[in-house]
């Protein structure tokens, strides 16, 4: 497999879960806090954080600490 195919495969896997796709769509609009995202998609903050970490490992999102 070539690198491009593997990158697309990781992207699809990262946003293939319904909740992750919803998080992705919200983040495509603007930056959000974890709390805002959790409330918006109806997940706990810890579950939202785990989803975001998985998406970050795949290179779909990146974290930014503020405060």
């Amino acid at each position: 497999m070539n690198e491009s195919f593997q990158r697309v495969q990781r992207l699809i896997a990262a946003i293939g879960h319904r909740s992750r796709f919803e998080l992705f769509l919200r983040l495509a609009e603007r930056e959000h806090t974890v709390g805002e995202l959790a409330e918006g998609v109806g997940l706990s903050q810890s579950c939202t954080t785990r989803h975001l970490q998985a998406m970050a490992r795949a290179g779909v999102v990146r974290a930014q600490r503020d405060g």
Side-chain angles (χ1 to χ4, degrees):
M1 281 186 241
N2 66 29
E3 185 178 328
S4 180
F5 179 80
Q6 290 175 337
R7 190 174 24 198
V8 170
Q9 196 173 32
R10 282 192 304 272
L11 171 67
I12 291 169
I15 63 173
H17 187 279
R18 184 183 136 279
S19 295
R20 288 182 189 167
F21 186 67
E22 287 184 43
L23 292 169
F24 176 79
L25 291 177
R26 288 176 184 275
L27 288 168
E29 295 172 356
R30 66 176 181 84
E31 290 181 359
H32 292 272
T33 65
V34 174
E36 290 171 340
L37 290 168
E39 184 177 320
V41 298
L43 298 172
S44 68
Q45 283 193 7
S46 63
C47 186
T48 301
T49 297
R50 285 192 304 274
H51 281 308
L52 291 170
Q53 288 170 339
M55 292 167 67
R57 283 191 301 272
V60 176
V61 299
R62 73 177 190 268
Q64 177 179 322
R65 288 185 175 250
D66 188 20

